[in-house]
Amino acid sequence: MGKKKVPDLYRAPFPLYSVKVDPDTGLVIIAGGGGASKTGIKNAVHFLDLQLVGEYQHSASLLHSHDTDTRATMNMAVGKGVIAAGQDGTCCLMQFKQCTQKEAKDANKDGKSKQQGNARLRAGKGDKCGQDGVTPSGNMSDMKDETIHISVTASAEVQSDLNPQDPLQKVVRFSPDQSLLLTGGTDGHIRVWEHLVTVGRDFACSVWSGNQLSMSLKWHETMSQIDEKTYRYLACRFGKVEDQKDALRLYTVQIPHKRDRKPPPCYLTKWDGRSLLAMLTAPCGTEVISSLAVSDSGTFLGLGTVTGSVAIYIAFSLQRLYYVHESHGIVVTDLAFLPHSMKGKNIKGNNETALLSVAVDSRCQLHRVARRRYFPVWLVLFFCGVLVVGVVLLLQHLFPGFI
């Protein structure tokens, strides 16, 4: 696909670094900020209400803005009403829930809610649900108790990176059963983990069991022309396998360690999630990859680049299905697929898949792949039969006695 314009789903008043979708509430959660510098750019987490308009289009509106003071959220994980946010060298845990106006006022009276924000009203007006519990006009008489608000409560904070110089948490994830929280930072340590796969700038992709290194993956062994130290791993993600309940796949992205005047391609590798044997490696363009996402069904992979481009690949074949060149004006910082269902309903509409992207340009975009139309097998066989009969009749007409 050539250059095309993807409309912004939402634009924040600060650089965006992370996007997540909560399938339980249907909320799209984006976060970022300007950090501690006194530039006037705020640091916040925004909660968006995503709605399907028609069969293919979507719209998003701001439900709530949670101020994070002087720290920008660079990465986050969402699960079971909890956000784990990486802010500098700490991991801040925040509980969130949808609540009515009455519940929000009660929380404010108890002094448990520290957030500042606004909620979208049914009448189209905004309100503040901060510590004072009043609307901008100072009058709450025309608010309905049923109006949905987002309540955010800071519950804990842990030091997740002990680098003495500029500590920075680089990644955070919940385990599939939500029982473990895993963080990694610039000090080279993974904290609170039992079995996982890690990648880093040391050219290694390591498989861990407890605190023991189980094995290292060697993607370049499938590409005899590539030297071991030519590429480094950028990201790794596990994904399901469609129609195979117990199967897993591991996907890794390899980018050139050094950039040449004629840039070499980046690569995607698919691994068997159990045996950890490489199954397939494919090039994915010369733009340097900055982010990777896997759909909840394991059918699609999303890639973002440092130049702002966004692509969607088919996980089975590693073939590119969708591509927009420089959709964002600068590096794509995070990606998230819409889940198959949110709040028990199909939010993708007639799209085969939909991918959210955020970037430092403050934009949140939604990339959609329309569902491909297939002919039923019986109809294809019918037309094949008609074609065969037609050819036979034509030959009989042109060459009498042919059959």
Side-chain angles (χ1 to χ4, degrees), residues 200-253:
R201 290 182 175 271
D202 57 355
F203 304 96
C205 181
S206 304
V207 182
W208 301 86
S209 180
N211 61 354
Q212 300 296 318
L213 177 63
S214 177
M215 63 183 297
S216 295
L217 303 185
K218 306 289 186 181
W219 81 278
H220 62 276
E221 291 181 353
T222 63
M223 309 284 287
S224 58
Q225 75 278 16
I226 295 179
D227 184 72
E228 182 178 4
K229 295 298 180 69
T230 306
Y231 283 78
R232 66 178 178 86
Y233 292 93
L234 172 83
C236 60
R237 297 286 188 276
F238 277 102
K240 298 179 180 179
V241 180
E242 199 169 17
D243 301 327
Q244 297 184 39
K245 182 180 178 182
D246 297 325
L248 279 176
R249 295 289 181 265
L250 173 67
Y251 301 94
T252 60
V253 171

Side-chain angles (χ1 to χ4, degrees), residues 381-397 403:
L381 295 175
F382 173 77
F383 279 116
C384 289
V386 171
L387 181 62
V388 171
V389 172
V391 170
V392 171
L393 292 177
L394 178 62
L395 291 174
Q396 283 183 332
H397 176 72
I403 296 180

Side-chain angles (χ1 to χ4, degrees), residues 138-157:
N139 183 6
M140 298 186 70
S141 59
D142 41 61
M143 295 284 293
K144 293 185 177 181
D145 283 349
E146 312 73 69
T147 303
I148 296 299
H149 291 251
I150 305 298
S151 171
V152 183
T153 305
S155 57
E157 187 175 296

Side-chain angles (χ1 to χ4, degrees), residues 8-78:
D8 296 336
L9 181 70
Y10 179 77
R11 187 166 185 178
F14 49 81
L16 292 173
Y17 297 109
S18 188
V19 57
K20 293 293 178 282
V21 182
D22 182 28
D24 296 330
T25 62
L27 295 171
V28 173
I29 306 171
I30 58 176
S37 59
K38 298 179 180 179
T39 59
I41 301 176
K42 67 183 301 184
N43 302 290
V45 178
H46 279 189
F47 295 80
L48 306 181
D49 177 36
L50 183 66
Q51 295 291 334
L52 179 64
V53 181
E55 295 183 344
Y56 298 95
Q57 300 300 314
H58 294 80
S59 67
S61 56
L62 178 64
L63 283 178
H64 180 73
S65 174
H66 177 74
D67 196 334
T68 56
D69 298 323
T70 61
R71 296 186 300 187
T73 297
M74 305 300 293
N75 46 77
M76 62 180 176
V78 177

